[in-house]
Amino acid sequence: MRMAGVRSNIVAVVYGMAVLVIGQAALVPLFLRMWGPVVYGQWLVISAVPAYLALAELGIGHALGNLLAISIAQGRIVDAQNKFNAAFKYQGLIGAALFFLFCGMVVMLPIANWLVIGSLSPNGAIVVLLSLVVYSILPIQIGCFSGIYRAASLYHRYLLFQGHARLLEVICTAVLLISQCGMVEISVALLAVRFLWFLVVVFDSRGRVAGLRVRWDEGSWREFSSLLPVGFGYFAFPIGNALINQGVVLLVNHLGGVAAVVELSVGRQVCRFFLQLTSAISAAVHPELTLAFARGERARLLALQAGVIAVVVVIGGVFVVACFIIGPGLAHWWTQGVAVSAVTFGLLALEAVTAGLANVSLLLPWAANRLGSLPYCYLALQVLSITAVALSFSLWRVGAVGLAFTLINCAFGVIAVRKMLRLTSCRAAEFPGFGIAGIVYIMRSSFGRLGAR
């Protein structure tokens, strides 16, 4: 097995995860100290709305990344070039259209009043919303280039740029908060950093794969539309994620007010450390799974998939126990006063762990572009989850979020594992044996003790 690719990816994603985790750990108490819980809660609410525009990606980025890696590994450069430019061109046009549409909505409608953002003037709300709109749309274009880095076996480089951008966002936000700046200045600064990341990726990706470059005169609507059937499958995941994240924030704000939003945010920020860890592992292994699938390496596919699941199960059990025991005290110390009960913390930790397991169970079908009906199943289950939160919030308060999503994540994880077993023609009794080999491979890749075989 080739370990160098996985090892480089793991180093890059661990860096990105460290930036994200440390940045969140530093910024949440800083937000609360400089702005107070009311204004911080309003920031969480207003920033949740533009994030929905990221759904304009339509799942094309995920489908394109896999198709580029597979096409180039199989020598179909012209097909890869046409699909890349078609995606870049038409997604850019769709993003621009959405921006101008949202501009009209923000100017004509009292969105700030609807969201109960009393700390912003009407003009200030417009600036914040429009800045965050572009901030949310830019990753659609940036994501097109991730496939180039994956095809060139340089995905770790793309991840490092992503980590640098996150670090710069954290630094800028912290400096502006300490300087007693408000939402307007921070939203503009975040947009500037993301635009810089976009420019860096555009220029750095040039020449990474021979024959693959940005050309506006190449890539037809036909090539773009050919990505839609696969992309629509992936599209269900960002919709479901929007319900899990921004949708739940808006629902909790409606049912419990900004105090409940802050409690949910603090609990999830701590518990999502685990989810970010599983995302980092998935990001490191994903390109290797795509290449293994393109080359028909069944044993390697199953070893990586089983090994990742086994690692997540072991770490997840420890994480849930730790959150239940020390979570409330950690949150109180971290935020200097925000209270989250042990039961709520335990439920949110279970949500994070089961979500991580569901995500890594989905990894092989995702990397191989063989999702089938899984995305639609995922979306239907997330709709059920948010409905359950609405019905049980009066009884469980913020804990209802953790309980509802934990149950749904378990159901989806079982469905995803069954799909993965069918895809690889693997019997359930045979699968655990690959887990041992996978754990050894992942550990060797992470620590680099034996080098490539």
Side-chain angles (χ1 to χ4, degrees), residues 132-169:
L132 293 177
V133 163
V134 183
Y135 177 84
S136 300
I137 290 176
L138 270 177
I140 298 173
Q141 294 297 82
I142 297 173
C144 291
F145 294 90
S146 67
I148 296 178
Y149 288 96
R150 286 168 55 187
S153 298
L154 292 172
Y155 191 58
H156 63 280
R157 187 174 180 86
Y158 174 83
L159 294 172
L160 286 173
F161 287 139
Q162 185 179 61
H164 296 336
R166 286 175 176 170
L167 178 60
L168 190 54
E169 285 183 4

CSV table of all heavy atoms in Angstrom, one decimal, residues 132-169:
chain,number,residue,atom,x,y,z
A,132,LEU,N,-21.4,38.3,4.0
A,132,LEU,CA,-21.4,36.9,4.3
A,132,LEU,C,-22.0,36.0,3.1
A,132,LEU,O,-21.7,34.8,3.0
A,132,LEU,CB,-22.3,36.7,5.6
A,132,LEU,CG,-21.7,37.2,6.9
A,132,LEU,CD1,-22.6,37.0,8.0
A,132,LEU,CD2,-20.3,36.5,7.2
A,133,VAL,N,-22.8,36.7,2.3
A,133,VAL,CA,-23.3,36.0,1.1
A,133,VAL,C,-22.1,35.6,0.2
A,133,VAL,O,-22.0,34.4,-0.3
A,133,VAL,CB,-24.3,36.9,0.3
A,133,VAL,CG1,-24.5,36.4,-1.1
A,133,VAL,CG2,-25.6,36.9,1.1
A,134,VAL,N,-21.3,36.6,-0.1
A,134,VAL,CA,-20.1,36.3,-1.0
A,134,VAL,C,-19.2,35.3,-0.3
A,134,VAL,O,-18.6,34.4,-0.9
A,134,VAL,CB,-19.4,37.6,-1.4
A,134,VAL,CG1,-18.3,37.3,-2.3
A,134,VAL,CG2,-20.4,38.6,-2.0
A,135,TYR,N,-19.0,35.5,1.0
A,135,TYR,CA,-18.2,34.5,1.8
A,135,TYR,C,-18.7,33.1,1.7
A,135,TYR,O,-17.9,32.1,1.6
A,135,TYR,CB,-18.2,35.0,3.2
A,135,TYR,CG,-17.5,34.1,4.2
A,135,TYR,CD1,-16.1,34.3,4.4
A,135,TYR,CD2,-18.2,33.2,5.0
A,135,TYR,CE1,-15.4,33.5,5.3
A,135,TYR,CE2,-17.5,32.3,5.9
A,135,TYR,CZ,-16.1,32.5,6.0
A,135,TYR,OH,-15.5,31.7,6.9
A,136,SER,N,-20.0,32.9,1.6
A,136,SER,CA,-20.6,31.6,1.5
A,136,SER,C,-20.6,31.0,0.1
A,136,SER,O,-20.5,29.8,-0.1
A,136,SER,CB,-22.1,31.6,2.0
A,136,SER,OG,-22.1,32.1,3.3
A,137,ILE,N,-20.6,31.9,-0.9
A,137,ILE,CA,-20.6,31.5,-2.3
A,137,ILE,C,-19.2,31.1,-2.8
A,137,ILE,O,-19.1,30.2,-3.6
A,137,ILE,CB,-21.2,32.6,-3.2
A,137,ILE,CG1,-22.8,32.7,-2.9
A,137,ILE,CG2,-21.0,32.3,-4.7
A,137,ILE,CD1,-23.4,33.8,-3.7
A,138,LEU,N,-18.2,31.8,-2.4
A,138,LEU,CA,-16.8,31.6,-2.9
A,138,LEU,C,-16.4,30.1,-2.8
A,138,LEU,O,-15.7,29.6,-3.7
A,138,LEU,CB,-15.8,32.5,-2.2
A,138,LEU,CG,-15.6,33.9,-2.8
A,138,LEU,CD1,-14.7,34.7,-2.0
A,138,LEU,CD2,-15.1,33.7,-4.2
A,139,PRO,N,-16.7,29.4,-1.7
A,139,PRO,CA,-16.2,28.0,-1.7
A,139,PRO,C,-16.7,27.1,-2.8
A,139,PRO,O,-16.1,26.1,-3.1
A,139,PRO,CB,-16.7,27.5,-0.3
A,139,PRO,CG,-16.8,28.7,0.5
A,139,PRO,CD,-17.2,29.8,-0.4
A,140,ILE,N,-17.8,27.6,-3.5
A,140,ILE,CA,-18.3,26.8,-4.6
A,140,ILE,C,-17.2,26.8,-5.7
A,140,ILE,O,-17.0,25.7,-6.3
A,140,ILE,CB,-19.6,27.4,-5.1
A,140,ILE,CG1,-20.7,27.4,-4.0
A,140,ILE,CG2,-20.1,26.7,-6.4
A,140,ILE,CD1,-22.0,28.1,-4.4
A,141,GLN,N,-16.6,28.0,-6.0
A,141,GLN,CA,-15.6,28.0,-7.0
A,141,GLN,C,-14.3,27.4,-6.5
A,141,GLN,O,-13.6,26.8,-7.3
A,141,GLN,CB,-15.4,29.5,-7.4
A,141,GLN,CG,-16.6,30.1,-8.1
A,141,GLN,CD,-16.9,29.4,-9.4
A,141,GLN,OE1,-17.5,28.4,-9.5
A,141,GLN,NE2,-16.4,30.0,-10.5
A,142,ILE,N,-14.0,27.7,-5.2
A,142,ILE,CA,-12.7,27.1,-4.7
A,142,ILE,C,-12.7,25.6,-4.8
A,142,ILE,O,-11.7,25.0,-5.1
A,142,ILE,CB,-12.5,27.6,-3.3
A,142,ILE,CG1,-12.4,29.1,-3.2
A,142,ILE,CG2,-11.3,27.0,-2.6
A,142,ILE,CD1,-12.3,29.7,-1.8
A,143,GLY,N,-13.9,25.0,-4.5
A,143,GLY,CA,-14.0,23.6,-4.5
A,143,GLY,C,-13.7,22.9,-5.8
A,143,GLY,O,-13.3,21.7,-5.8
A,144,CYS,N,-13.9,23.6,-6.9
A,144,CYS,CA,-13.6,23.1,-8.2
A,144,CYS,C,-12.1,22.7,-8.3
A,144,CYS,O,-11.7,21.7,-9.0
A,144,CYS,CB,-13.9,24.1,-9.3
A,144,CYS,SG,-15.7,24.4,-9.5
A,145,PHE,N,-11.2,23.4,-7.7
A,145,PHE,CA,-9.8,23.2,-7.8
A,145,PHE,C,-9.3,22.1,-6.9
A,145,PHE,O,-8.2,21.6,-7.1
A,145,PHE,CB,-9.0,24.5,-7.4
A,145,PHE,CG,-9.3,25.6,-8.4
A,145,PHE,CD1,-10.3,26.5,-8.2
A,145,PHE,CD2,-8.5,25.8,-9.6
A,145,PHE,CE1,-10.6,27.5,-9.1
A,145,PHE,CE2,-8.8,26.8,-10.5
A,145,PHE,CZ,-9.8,27.6,-10.3
A,146,SER,N,-10.1,21.6,-5.9
A,146,SER,CA,-9.6,20.6,-5.1
A,146,SER,C,-9.4,19.3,-5.9
A,146,SER,O,-8.5,18.5,-5.6
A,146,SER,CB,-10.7,20.3,-4.0
A,146,SER,OG,-11.9,19.8,-4.5
A,147,GLY,N,-10.2,19.1,-7.0
A,147,GLY,CA,-10.0,17.9,-7.8
A,147,GLY,C,-8.7,17.9,-8.5
A,147,GLY,O,-8.1,16.8,-8.8
A,148,ILE,N,-8.2,19.1,-8.9
A,148,ILE,CA,-6.9,19.2,-9.5
A,148,ILE,C,-5.8,18.7,-8.6
A,148,ILE,O,-4.9,17.9,-8.9
A,148,ILE,CB,-6.6,20.6,-10.0
A,148,ILE,CG1,-7.6,21.0,-11.1
A,148,ILE,CG2,-5.1,20.7,-10.5
A,148,ILE,CD1,-7.4,22.5,-11.5
A,149,TYR,N,-5.8,19.1,-7.3
A,149,TYR,CA,-4.8,18.7,-6.4
A,149,TYR,C,-4.9,17.2,-6.0
A,149,TYR,O,-3.9,16.5,-5.9
A,149,TYR,CB,-5.0,19.5,-5.1
A,149,TYR,CG,-4.6,21.0,-5.2
A,149,TYR,CD1,-5.5,22.0,-5.5
A,149,TYR,CD2,-3.2,21.3,-5.1
A,149,TYR,CE1,-5.1,23.3,-5.6
A,149,TYR,CE2,-2.8,22.6,-5.2
A,149,TYR,CZ,-3.8,23.6,-5.5
A,149,TYR,OH,-3.4,24.9,-5.6
A,150,ARG,N,-6.2,16.7,-6.0
A,150,ARG,CA,-6.3,15.3,-5.7
A,150,ARG,C,-5.8,14.4,-6.9
A,150,ARG,O,-5.1,13.4,-6.7
A,150,ARG,CB,-7.8,15.0,-5.5
A,150,ARG,CG,-8.3,15.4,-4.1
A,150,ARG,CD,-9.8,15.4,-4.1
A,150,ARG,NE,-10.3,14.1,-4.4
A,150,ARG,CZ,-11.6,13.8,-4.5
A,150,ARG,NH1,-12.5,14.8,-4.3
A,150,ARG,NH2,-12.0,12.6,-4.7
A,151,ALA,N,-6.1,14.9,-8.1
A,151,ALA,CA,-5.6,14.1,-9.3
A,151,ALA,C,-4.1,14.2,-9.4
A,151,ALA,O,-3.4,13.2,-9.9
A,151,ALA,CB,-6.2,14.7,-10.6
A,152,ALA,N,-3.5,15.3,-8.9
A,152,ALA,CA,-2.0,15.4,-8.9
A,152,ALA,C,-1.3,14.8,-7.7
A,152,ALA,O,-0.1,15.0,-7.5
A,152,ALA,CB,-1.6,16.9,-9.1
A,153,SER,N,-2.1,14.1,-6.8
A,153,SER,CA,-1.6,13.6,-5.6
A,153,SER,C,-1.0,14.7,-4.7
A,153,SER,O,0.0,14.5,-4.0
A,153,SER,CB,-0.5,12.5,-5.9
A,153,SER,OG,-1.1,11.4,-6.5
A,154,LEU,N,-1.6,15.8,-4.8
A,154,LEU,CA,-1.1,17.0,-4.0
A,154,LEU,C,-2.3,17.5,-3.1
A,154,LEU,O,-2.3,18.7,-2.8
A,154,LEU,CB,-0.6,18.1,-4.9
A,154,LEU,CG,0.7,17.8,-5.6
A,154,LEU,CD1,1.0,18.9,-6.6
A,154,LEU,CD2,1.9,17.7,-4.6
A,155,TYR,N,-3.2,16.6,-2.7
A,155,TYR,CA,-4.4,17.1,-2.0
A,155,TYR,C,-3.9,17.7,-0.7
A,155,TYR,O,-4.6,18.6,-0.2
A,155,TYR,CB,-5.3,16.0,-1.7
A,155,TYR,CG,-6.7,16.4,-1.2
A,155,TYR,CD1,-7.5,17.3,-1.9
A,155,TYR,CD2,-7.1,15.9,0.0
A,155,TYR,CE1,-8.7,17.7,-1.4
A,155,TYR,CE2,-8.4,16.3,0.5
A,155,TYR,CZ,-9.1,17.1,-0.2
A,155,TYR,OH,-10.4,17.5,0.3
A,156,HIS,N,-2.8,17.3,-0.1
A,156,HIS,CA,-2.4,17.9,1.2
A,156,HIS,C,-2.0,19.3,1.0
A,156,HIS,O,-2.2,20.1,1.9
A,156,HIS,CB,-1.1,17.1,1.7
A,156,HIS,CG,0.1,17.2,0.8
A,156,HIS,ND1,0.2,16.4,-0.4
A,156,HIS,CD2,1.1,18.0,0.8
A,156,HIS,CE1,1.3,16.7,-1.0
A,156,HIS,NE2,1.9,17.7,-0.3
A,157,ARG,N,-1.6,19.7,-0.2
A,157,ARG,CA,-1.3,21.1,-0.4
A,157,ARG,C,-2.6,22.0,-0.4
A,157,ARG,O,-2.6,23.1,0.2
A,157,ARG,CB,-0.6,21.3,-1.8
A,157,ARG,CG,0.0,22.7,-2.1
A,157,ARG,CD,0.8,22.7,-3.4
A,157,ARG,NE,1.3,24.0,-3.7
A,157,ARG,CZ,2.4,24.5,-3.2
A,157,ARG,NH1,3.2,23.7,-2.5
A,157,ARG,NH2,2.8,25.7,-3.6
A,158,TYR,N,-3.6,21.5,-1.0
A,158,TYR,CA,-4.9,22.2,-1.0
A,158,TYR,C,-5.4,22.3,0.5
A,158,TYR,O,-5.9,23.4,0.9
A,158,TYR,CB,-5.9,21.4,-1.8
A,158,TYR,CG,-7.3,22.0,-1.7
A,158,TYR,CD1,-7.7,23.0,-2.5
A,158,TYR,CD2,-8.3,21.4,-0.9
A,158,TYR,CE1,-9.0,23.5,-2.5
A,158,TYR,CE2,-9.5,21.9,-0.8
A,158,TYR,CZ,-9.9,23.0,-1.6
A,158,TYR,OH,-11.2,23.4,-1.5
A,159,LEU,N,-5.2,21.2,1.2
A,159,LEU,CA,-5.7,21.3,2.6
A,159,LEU,C,-4.8,22.3,3.5
A,159,LEU,O,-5.4,22.9,4.4
A,159,LEU,CB,-5.6,19.9,3.2
A,159,LEU,CG,-6.5,18.8,2.7
A,159,LEU,CD1,-6.2,17.4,3.2
A,159,LEU,CD2,-8.0,19.2,3.0
A,160,LEU,N,-3.6,22.4,3.1
A,160,LEU,CA,-2.7,23.3,3.9
A,160,LEU,C,-3.2,24.8,3.6
A,160,LEU,O,-3.2,25.6,4.5
A,160,LEU,CB,-1.3,23.2,3.5
A,160,LEU,CG,-0.5,21.9,4.0
A,160,LEU,CD1,0.9,21.8,3.4
A,160,LEU,CD2,-0.4,22.1,5.6
A,161,PHE,N,-3.5,25.1,2.3
A,161,PHE,CA,-4.0,26.4,2.0
A,161,PHE,C,-5.3,26.7,2.7
A,161,PHE,O,-5.5,27.8,3.2
A,161,PHE,CB,-4.3,26.5,0.5
A,161,PHE,CG,-3.0,26.6,-0.4
A,161,PHE,CD1,-2.9,26.0,-1.6
A,161,PHE,CD2,-2.0,27.4,0.1
A,161,PHE,CE1,-1.7,26.1,-2.3
A,161,PHE,CE2,-0.8,27.5,-0.7
A,161,PHE,CZ,-0.7,26.9,-1.9
A,162,GLN,N,-6.2,25.6,2.8
A,162,GLN,CA,-7.4,25.8,3.6
A,162,GLN,C,-7.1,26.1,5.0
A,162,GLN,O,-7.8,26.9,5.6
A,162,GLN,CB,-8.2,24.5,3.4
A,162,GLN,CG,-9.6,24.6,4.1
A,162,GLN,CD,-10.3,23.2,3.9
A,162,GLN,OE1,-9.9,22.2,4.3
A,162,GLN,NE2,-11.5,23.3,3.2
A,163,GLY,N,-6.2,25.4,5.6
A,163,GLY,CA,-5.8,25.6,7.0
A,163,GLY,C,-5.2,27.0,7.2
A,163,GLY,O,-5.5,27.7,8.2
A,164,HIS,N,-4.4,27.5,6.3
A,164,HIS,CA,-3.8,28.8,6.4
A,164,HIS,C,-4.9,29.9,6.4
A,164,HIS,O,-4.9,30.9,7.1
A,164,HIS,CB,-2.9,29.1,5.2
A,164,HIS,CG,-1.6,28.2,5.2
A,164,HIS,ND1,-1.1,27.6,6.3
A,164,HIS,CD2,-0.8,27.9,4.2
A,164,HIS,CE1,-0.1,26.9,6.0
A,164,HIS,NE2,0.2,27.0,4.7
A,165,ALA,N,-5.9,29.7,5.5
A,165,ALA,CA,-7.0,30.6,5.4
A,165,ALA,C,-7.8,30.6,6.7
A,165,ALA,O,-8.2,31.7,7.2
A,165,ALA,CB,-8.0,30.2,4.2
A,166,ARG,N,-8.1,29.5,7.3
A,166,ARG,CA,-8.8,29.4,8.5
A,166,ARG,C,-8.0,30.1,9.6
A,166,ARG,O,-8.6,30.9,10.5
A,166,ARG,CB,-9.0,28.0,9.0
A,166,ARG,CG,-10.1,27.3,8.1
A,166,ARG,CD,-10.2,25.8,8.5
A,166,ARG,NE,-11.3,25.1,7.8
A,166,ARG,CZ,-11.4,23.8,7.8
A,166,ARG,NH1,-10.6,23.0,8.5
A,166,ARG,NH2,-12.4,23.3,7.2
A,167,LEU,N,-6.7,29.9,9.7
A,167,LEU,CA,-5.9,30.6,10.7
A,167,LEU,C,-5.9,32.1,10.5
A,167,LEU,O,-6.1,32.8,11.5
A,167,LEU,CB,-4.4,30.1,10.5
A,167,LEU,CG,-3.4,30.7,11.5
A,167,LEU,CD1,-3.8,30.5,12.9
A,167,LEU,CD2,-2.0,30.2,11.2
A,168,LEU,N,-5.8,32.6,9.3
A,168,LEU,CA,-5.9,34.0,9.1
A,168,LEU,C,-7.3,34.6,9.5
A,168,LEU,O,-7.4,35.7,10.0
A,168,LEU,CB,-5.6,34.3,7.6
A,168,LEU,CG,-5.4,35.8,7.2
A,168,LEU,CD1,-4.3,36.4,8.1
A,168,LEU,CD2,-5.1,35.9,5.7
A,169,GLU,N,-8.3,33.8,9.2
A,169,GLU,CA,-9.7,34.2,9.7
A,169,GLU,C,-9.7,34.4,11.2
A,169,GLU,O,-10.3,35.4,11.7
A,169,GLU,CB,-10.7,33.2,9.2
A,169,GLU,CG,-11.0,33.3,7.7
A,169,GLU,CD,-12.2,32.3,7.3
A,169,GLU,OE1,-12.7,31.7,8.2
A,169,GLU,OE2,-12.5,32.2,6.1
